[in-house]
Each structure stands twice: as C-alpha cells, then as structure tokens.
C-alpha cells in the first residue's frame, strides 16, 4: 500500500465515481481502476460496489475513509515539517467554513495569516451547517473548521475555540428618505418582504420565530446560497436578517443596516482536532488565537 493508492481511493470518494476522479487526477480511468483493484487485493476486501458506471462504497470502504485521510494528513505533516526545517515555510491550511463566518472573521484571519506567512496557501471549502463543519474536521476532509451557531457546541474529541459573537441585524434596500433608526424591534418587521435562507440557519430560525409570534411579514424569496441574499436586498426585492459581519460590505454598497432587539447572537467558533495538526494549520490557529486575544483586550479597555 502507498500514498498514491490512498489518494486515488479518496478521489473516487470525493468526486463520486471513477470517471470524475480520473478527470480530476488527470489520468486514464483504466489506470485508476487498476490501481484500486491492486489496493483491494492488498487489503483483501472490496472497497466499492460497481453499479453500472458508478461506484458505491462498501461498508468496509466507508470505514477506511477516515483512517486514509489521516494517513495522508500525517504524511503532509512530515513534508511540511521538513520544509519548515529548511526555512521554506511553505504549506497549505485546509479549512471548512460556513457562509457568514466565511465573510468575517475569515477575511481578517486570512489577511493576517498571509501577512505573517506569505508563502502558505489557505484552502477554504464550504459547509452550510455546524454539523457539516464538525464532520469535515472529524473525518479529516479539513483540519480547521469555522462555524456559526446559537450556542457553543460540546465536542469531546475536538478543540473548540470561541472567536466572536455577532448580533443579528436587519439588512434593508437602499433608500432616498431620511436615515432609518439604528435599532428596530422584531415587531417592526411587520409588513416587510423578506429574503431568507433555507431552514436550518440561525438567521432563518429568528425569522420563523418572529412569524410564529404573529408578525405579518412575507417571505418573498427563499435561497439556498446565502451569497444571493445581499444582491437580492440591493435590488429592492426585500429585507433580510443577517449577522453583523455583513455590515461593512452591505453599507459600502448602499444597503441600510439596523440592529434587531432583543439581540440574537451568532457565536463564531473554530474547531480542530486536539492533536496532530500540520505546521500550517498550527500557524493558522496561532493567528486565530491572536485575533481572539486582541478582541478580549479591546473589550477590557
């Protein structure tokens, strides 16, 4: 067994079949099939059920995914440690983030990290729920996860680092009238047209709670990609409930942003494995820790 075989195995898992994996790896599909057949012979088990042109993991194959990712991650740790020892300071941070934390604080964190480690690369994959973030980190698909939730999660096998609390705000289309009040109550959403994300997010939960309380707002659009929310609000389609982190870019583009009271907080949290991080991931975590410490000093001053 070698790292190439494991990498090919994971490529099939990640890309949903032999054909797409071969395209991603830039190799011929027969070569990929031969490599996996050799791996199966060495292990003495079938890793995939061949179904027509597709491939479905066997039970054994599914159990091998996480150990395989960790093996490749450990090999990368060896390589990056050697690079750091040679003074190259190269490496890649593999992280996964939910959309709102992916706006901020990720922008600040990546900017600071790049300034301190200009030869390193940050690869940020997307997830839409805290559970997806945790699962990606747990299985080794990413080393660092950035999530937003109503409460701090309790995850026994991971390190959990609270980063920031972001109040939810009301995002409104640009207007020519007098400036609106800086704060609105939940009842002030009465009569508004709303652009919302699909069920499951804290933003959507607040809207659903407001509607359940008797406020007569109308959901004008429900979007799967939260990146669609700001353009739709700017177009005048409706208003939206979003985290405070959206404020700077929204106001620069002309939208109006108001705090909603009583306050609901999106708690931004970083999660990672408790041990065996690559040097690049460890350096990124140090950037996160500095960011958190700076925020604490600002609150104390």
């Amino acid at each position: 067994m070698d790292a190439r075989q494991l990498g090919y195995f994971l490529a099939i898992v990640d890309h949903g079949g032999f054909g797409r994996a071969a395209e991603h790896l830039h190799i011929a599909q027969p070569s990929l099939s031969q490599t996996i057949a050799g791996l199966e012979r060495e292990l003495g088990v079938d890793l995939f059920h061949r179904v027509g042109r597709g491939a479905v993991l066997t039970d054994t194959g599914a159990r091998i995914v996480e150990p395989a990712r960790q093996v490749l991650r450990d090999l990368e740790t060896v390589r990056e440690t050697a690079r750091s020892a040679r003074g190259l300071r190269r490496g890649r941070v593999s992280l996964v983030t939910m959309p709102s934390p992916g706006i901020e604080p990720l922008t600040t964190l990546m900017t600071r990290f790049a300034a301190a480690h200009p030869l390193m690369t940050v690869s940020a994959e997307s997830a839409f729920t805290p559970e997806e973030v945790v699962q990606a980190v747990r299985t080794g698909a990413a080393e660092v996860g950035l999530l937003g939730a109503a409460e701090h999660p309790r995850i026994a096998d991971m390190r959990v680092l609270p980063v920031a609390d972001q109040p939810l705000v009301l995002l409104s289309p640009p207007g020519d009238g007098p400036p609106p009040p800086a704060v609105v109550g939940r009842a002030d959403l009465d009569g508004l047209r709303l652009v919302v994300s699909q069920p499951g997010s804290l933003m959507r939960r607040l809207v659903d709670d407001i509607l359940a309380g008797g406020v007569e707002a109308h959901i004008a659009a429900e979007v799967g990609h939260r990146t669609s929310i700001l353009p739709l609000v700017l177009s005048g389609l409706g208003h939206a409930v979003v985290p405070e982190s959206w404020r700077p870019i929204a106001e620069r583009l002309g939208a109006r942003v108001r705090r909603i009271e009583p306050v609901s907080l999106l708690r931004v949290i970083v999660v990672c494995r408790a041990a065996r991080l690559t040097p690049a991931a460890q350096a990124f975590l140090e950037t996160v820790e500095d960011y958190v410490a700076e925020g604490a000093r600002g609150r104390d001053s």
Side-chain angles (χ1 to χ4, degrees):
M1 187 190 308
D2 59 37
R4 180 179 62 92
Q5 291 173 310
L6 293 180
Y8 285 7
F9 165 69
L10 291 175
I12 297 167
V13 173
D14 292 339
H15 293 278
F18 282 76
R20 292 178 181 175
E23 292 177 5
H24 174 75
L25 296 167
H26 304 293
I27 63 173
Q29 185 171 332
S31 297
L32 176 60
S33 298
Q34 291 172 9
T35 300
I36 296 303
L39 178 60
E40 290 176 324
R41 284 195 300 272
E42 290 181 33
L43 295 175
V45 295
D46 290 334
L47 300 176
F48 297 98
H49 296 298
R50 276 67 169 181
V51 182
R53 294 186 177 181
V56 179
L57 280 169
T58 64
D59 289 343
T60 302
R63 290 198 295 271
I64 287 174
V65 170
E66 182 175 348
R69 291 196 196 280
Q70 190 57 53
V71 167
L72 295 184
R73 188 79 67 196
D74 288 344
L75 288 174
E76 184 61 23
T77 299
V78 171
R79 295 189 190 99
E80 291 190 11
T81 300
R83 291 176 188 141
S84 296
R86 294 199 305 267
L88 297 179
R89 299 186 181 278
R90 296 182 183 273
R92 175 179 291 270
V93 182
S94 174
L95 65 83
V96 59
T97 179
M98 290 175 61
S100 293
I103 296 175
E104 191 62 41
L106 183 60
T107 299
T108 297
L109 293 173
M110 289 180 67
T111 301
R112 294 183 180 185
F113 181 75
H117 307 281
L119 297 180
M120 289 194 180
T121 300
V122 178
S123 173
E125 297 294 332
S126 62
F128 292 94
T129 66
E131 293 76 19
E132 289 177 3
V133 172
V134 171
Q135 181 67 7
V137 174
R138 178 172 284 126
T139 61
E143 281 197 280
V144 180
L146 190 61
L147 62 87
E151 303 293 339
H152 294 163
R154 295 184 176 88
I155 311 170
D157 57 340
M158 292 186 191
R159 182 181 176 190
V160 177
L161 178 61
V163 177
D165 289 342
Q166 298 180 0
L168 296 186
V169 297
L170 182 66
L171 197 65
S172 299
D176 297 327
V183 177
V184 296
R186 296 183 180 186
D188 294 324
L189 273 65
D190 194 79
L192 297 185
R193 293 168 55 85
L194 300 176
V195 178
V196 300
S197 58
Q198 293 179 331
S201 70
L202 180 63
M203 299 160 355
R204 177 60 184 270
R205 188 188 311 170
L206 176 60
V207 170
D208 288 343
D209 288 346
I210 290 172
L211 296 179
V215 171
E216 295 293 334
H218 171 63
I219 294 180
E222 181 180 86
V223 297
H225 294 286
R226 295 175 203 171
T227 50
S228 302
I229 292 176
L230 180 55
L232 289 173
V233 171
L234 292 171
S235 75
L237 180 65
H239 306 251
V241 175
V242 299
E244 176 76 26
S245 62
W246 293 49
R247 180 187 291 272
I249 187 171
E251 290 184 335
R252 283 200 300 271
L253 293 173
R256 301 186 177 194
V257 184
R258 292 171 283 174
R259 183 77 63 90
I260 301 173
E261 291 188 349
V263 173
S264 291
L265 294 175
L266 179 74
R267 302 188 185 278
V268 179
I269 298 150
V270 162
V271 295
C272 64
R273 287 178 176 245
R276 294 196 294 178
L277 294 176
T278 62
Q282 184 58 49
F284 188 83
L285 276 187
E286 290 169 1
T287 300
V288 175
E289 291 168 347
D290 289 344
Y291 176 89
V292 173
E294 180 181 301
R297 288 194 296 270
R299 290 190 297 272
D300 293 340
S301 61

